[in-house]
Amino acid sequence: MRFHGLTVLLLGCSLGLADDLTARFELTLNRVLKGGPPAYLPGFVLADAIPQHTRRFTEYCGDVSGRYIGALSVYSKASGARLSELENVVRKLLTLQRADGHFGDPLDSGRATTRNMAILWGNGRLLIGLLEYYQYNQRAEVLAAARKLGDFFAGMAPLYNSEEVQQQFSGDLLAVGYICWTQCLEGLVELARVTGENKYLDTARAVAARVDRFPAQHSHGFLTSLRGVLDLHRLSGDAKLLAQVETQWQALVESGNVLPHGAIPEAFAPKIKRDEGCSEADWLRLNIALWNTTRKQQYLQAAEWTLFNEFQFNQFRTGDFGHRDLSALGAGPASARAWWCCTLHGLRAFPEIAACVFHEENGTLFYDLPVNGYGRIGNDFVVHADSQLGTVGIINLDIQAAGKSSQSLAIRLPQWARNVGINLGGKKLDGILRNGYIHLTRTWKKNDRLLLAYDIRTRIMKKPGQTNLVAFTHGPWFLGVDNQGSPDFFGELTALNRVIAISTPSTGEVTLERVSSRQQSRTPFAVPMAEFNLRYLPGGYPAQPQQAVLRPIAEQTSLHDNTEWIFWFQTAPPGEELKTQRE
């Protein structure tokens, strides 16, 4: 099944490339529209709004309904598609709204309870879902329903935005904690933008002042709330709100809750047990939004790292997103496809990725993310990126429209590359390196093709707090060993295996042998450019060195759900291999 509208928007080129987001996007879109089990049938989706408790988590009234409507509405707006599945759900939903404006079960009256928190959470997801539909199709009855739901939240604010309730629900409550209230911020800000009414803006400001992070908190709820604070800054222009988001971002990074492979755990420390697809999508979207707001490279780098690693690692071969257990040395084997939230939230992230590939600033077109996409300055300068980074280490930039005057194109030199060689028609182009971008200014011609060749670094990363353990990266990819590709690496003494690698201490770079073409993965999401042989001394028999395959964790999407991965390795001292063989 092909979804050509957003396929063109996202990538506009051939499918099936390892670093081609089209295939990943289509995998998840097809899962939502046609896949299963369980299938997203109208009655199944709306069970949390009816309410009809016939599936899991219907107590979060409006949660699946809102996510489904929001994700498909954003897709439809971007692609021009018109989905009967979406229209049927919206039509039926509008008949289910209660007199007080909310959907689903009645609330416990006059007091804050965990049951009410679940209802508030789901209705918050439904509020933003309705407004995302309204962005796509401005039906008056949809906006009326959103306003009525917004009025419901404004009416709840005196109780739920109080210090007393915040303290009551800021403990170890995870999915029924105070974030169930603050996440409504995203919808309130959008409602204020659409209607221009101060009551929604004033409520949003009050809620934003309550957004804070604490131990063992549900990360998805916190990050969704933080995205709402950033939305409020972008609407109001209040610099203090941006400072609040940036301060929280920095504190989150320093807290150890942003894991080295770009993951956010479901619950913050000290309750880190597994990842969550919703949180990965939130972290990706937050960094994209911060990049678009500030143009600070740290946010683009964080978005890129999560995109190439945890976001793809979290995607299942069915197209679902969900959970994978985290271990001291890696991840798995336990996992769960979270169709009730993560699959839909993962789908919602793809259009924002597409919009972040290029940006225009002061008459220059910047190529930011090394993936497929389109960039333009009006109709006079249109560039299409065709990324083959994961297969052969190159990206083609095709000039699809060019005016008669000179145009400036800036190509990002990422930290994971030593250099980017630029070739046009067989001739090398030399640009000016400025602020991390190679700038080229010339009179382009339609059908010019720039070939970008990335000189990619392979590096060692030390584990925070455990410097005796290292991980390996190649370019934007975080690497690991899995029990499907290298079953002999796993056993009773796996933790005692020691890898043999030659590093360059001053740069952190490492020399590894690429796998042969015969050994390369042939799965749909393989990244042959980043697959290496990893020699190691087995924990149980170090006198007989062995070899495993080190490959990007992003390849997990093609593997069985319960695959086990090792990310962190002990290293053997120089000469240890020869010593053990002599002994």
Side-chain angles (χ1 to χ4, degrees):
M1 184 175 185
R2 288 286 185 250
F3 304 95
H4 292 292
L6 191 55
T7 293
V8 172
L9 173 69
L10 276 168
L11 308 160
C13 64
S14 60
L15 303 180
L17 297 175
D19 45 9
D20 185 349
L21 287 175
T22 301
R24 290 186 177 275
F25 161 71
E26 290 188 344
L27 183 66
T28 298
L29 184 60
N30 189 57
R31 162 66 184 94
V32 171
L33 292 178
K34 304 295 181 183
Y40 290 103
L41 302 175
F44 180 87
V45 171
L46 291 170
D48 54 24
I50 293 173
Q52 191 174 57
H53 300 294
T54 54
R55 61 162 170 80
R56 194 178 190 191
F57 294 134
T58 51
E59 68 271 26
Y60 292 85
C61 302
D63 190 11
V64 171
S65 301
R67 294 176 192 270
Y68 180 90
I69 291 169
L72 292 182
S73 296
V74 172
Y75 158 68
S76 296
K77 181 183 178 183
S79 67
R82 190 165 183 84
L83 301 174
S84 60
E85 299 93 336
L86 172 62
E87 301 303 330
N88 289 340
V89 166
V90 171
R91 184 178 66 254
K92 293 177 181 178
L93 175 78
L94 295 179
T95 68
L96 302 174
Q97 193 165 25
R98 287 180 170 270
D100 68 355
H102 89 279
F103 292 78
D105 292 319
L107 280 82
D108 295 329
S109 179
R111 58 197 175 96
T113 63
T114 55
R115 181 175 175 276
N116 283 3
M117 283 298 185
I119 295 171
L120 290 172
W121 171 274
N123 275 268
R125 296 299 84 214
L126 186 49
L127 177 58
I128 187 60
L130 284 169
L131 290 164
E132 286 171 333
Y133 179 89
Y134 185 73
Q135 291 176 17
Y136 151 64
N137 186 3
Q138 295 187 355
R139 291 171 53 188
E141 62 270 32
V142 172
L143 180 57
R147 292 177 80 130
K148 194 173 180 181
L149 184 51
D151 290 342
F152 163 79
F153 276 107
M156 293 291 105
L159 173 61
Y160 286 91
N161 215 54
S162 66
E163 178 71 20
E164 179 184 357
V165 172
Q166 183 175 26
Q167 291 301 317
Q168 179 184 352
F169 288 91
S170 291
D172 188 9
L173 294 173
L174 199 64
V176 289
Y178 195 64
I179 48 88
C180 290
W181 168 250
T182 57
Q183 56 84 38
C184 73
L185 183 56
E186 186 180 18
L188 286 171
V189 173
E190 179 59 16
L191 190 57
R193 187 192 69 80
V194 170
T195 66
E197 293 193 23
N198 286 333
K199 63 179 176 180
Y200 304 125
L201 188 62
D202 292 342
T203 303
R205 287 183 183 277
V207 174
R210 294 285 180 193
V211 174
D212 200 7
R213 180 177 58 86
F214 51 85
Q217 188 180 34
H218 186 213
S219 61
H220 171 33
F222 170 72
L223 290 172
T224 297
S225 302
L226 202 59
R227 288 192 296 103
V229 177
L230 185 57
D231 289 343
L232 183 57
H233 158 73
R234 297 170 80 172
L235 178 63
S236 68
D238 187 342
K240 292 181 180 179
L241 294 168
L242 177 59
Q244 178 184 351
V245 176
E246 292 197 278
T247 298
Q248 290 281 8
W249 185 95
Q250 188 62 41
L252 185 62
V253 171
E254 293 173 357
S255 72
N257 283 298
V258 181
L259 305 182
H261 59 292
I264 302 290
E266 177 186 29
F268 290 137
K271 298 287 187 176
I272 296 176
K273 294 181 179 179
R274 62 180 186 173
D275 65 6
E276 178 174 341
C278 290
S279 302
E280 320 317 336
D282 279 327
W283 180 242
L284 179 57
R285 291 173 62 191
L286 175 65
N287 279 287
I288 288 173
L290 279 167
W291 160 245
N292 288 333
T293 302
T294 68
R295 294 302 178 208
K296 293 180 180 179
Q297 281 288 321
Q298 67 206 58
Y299 303 127
L300 180 62
Q301 291 164 5
E304 177 185 66
W305 189 248
T306 292
L307 171 61
F308 274 81
N309 296 296
E310 171 61 22
F311 185 71
Q312 297 184 21
F313 178 69
N314 190 270
Q315 187 181 31
F316 289 74
R317 56 182 175 164
T318 58
D320 288 291
F321 287 81
H323 301 284
R324 299 192 189 279
D325 277 11
L326 301 168
S327 67
L329 297 179
S335 65
R337 304 174 190 173
W339 51 262
W340 55 88
C341 57
C342 299
T343 299
L344 296 165
H345 214 57
L347 177 62
R348 174 63 182 81
F350 280 100
E352 294 190 27
I353 298 167
C356 190
V357 177
F358 287 86
H359 83 276
E360 183 273 332
E361 187 175 341
N362 297 325
T364 296
L365 185 62
F366 289 79
Y367 181 47
D368 299 313
L369 283 178
V371 298
N372 300 353
Y374 277 98
R376 64 171 59 238
I377 301 178
N379 294 321
D380 290 335
F381 192 40
V382 180
V383 181
H384 168 233
D386 177 7
S387 177
Q388 300 171 48
L389 191 66
T391 51
V392 290
I394 67 168
I395 297 174
N396 291 313
L397 296 184
D398 294 312
I399 310 300
Q400 296 195 340
K404 295 181 180 180
S405 59
S406 64
Q407 297 277 6
S408 295
L409 178 64
I411 298 160
R412 176 168 160 256
L413 175 59
Q415 291 181 329
W416 45 261
R418 300 181 192 90
N419 189 31
V420 179
I422 305 174
N423 184 288
L424 175 62
K427 296 182 179 179
K428 180 182 177 183
L429 290 185
D430 292 318
I432 298 173
L433 181 61
R434 185 168 64 248
N435 298 326
Y437 286 80
I438 302 169
H439 290 253
L440 302 166
T441 301
R442 59 183 287 127
T443 302
W444 304 95
K445 297 178 182 178
K446 184 179 179 180
N447 298 325
D448 277 349
R449 166 168 281 196
L450 287 172
L451 187 151
L452 313 181
Y454 288 76
D455 185 8
I456 298 176
R457 305 177 192 269
T458 306
R459 308 182 82 171
I460 277 183
M461 174 191 296
K462 292 185 178 181
K463 188 174 185 181
Q466 290 180 268
T467 55
N468 62 314
L469 296 175
V470 301
F472 297 90
T473 68
H474 181 70
W477 294 285
F478 188 85
L479 311 180
V481 172
D482 65 278
N483 65 349
Q484 288 194 54
S486 303
D488 292 339
F489 190 87
F490 293 78
E492 184 181 3
L493 300 178
T494 299
L496 299 182
N497 294 345
R498 291 175 296 162
V499 302
I500 303 165
I502 303 171
S503 64
T504 306
S506 61
T507 63
E509 295 190 31
V510 63
T511 302
L512 295 173
E513 177 189 47
R514 291 190 188 278
V515 301
S516 67
S517 58
R518 181 178 57 83
Q519 293 175 293
Q520 288 177 352
S521 301
R522 296 289 187 265
T523 56
F525 298 105
V527 187
M529 270 294 295
E531 294 178 344
F532 298 93
N533 292 317
L534 184 67
R535 290 182 58 77
Y536 68 97
L537 306 180
Y541 45 97
Q544 297 182 27
Q546 301 295 312
Q547 185 167 279
V549 175
L550 189 66
R551 56 178 172 170
I553 65 171
E555 294 191 17
Q556 167 60 45
T557 304
S558 298
L559 305 180
H560 293 297
D561 291 4
N562 294 329
T563 299
E564 184 175 2
W565 285 82
I566 299 294
F567 305 159
W568 299 101
F569 308 90
Q570 293 190 57
T571 58
E576 184 73 8
E577 179 180 8
L578 295 176
K579 177 182 176 182
T580 56
Q581 288 176 319
R582 285 197 301 269
E583 293 174 349

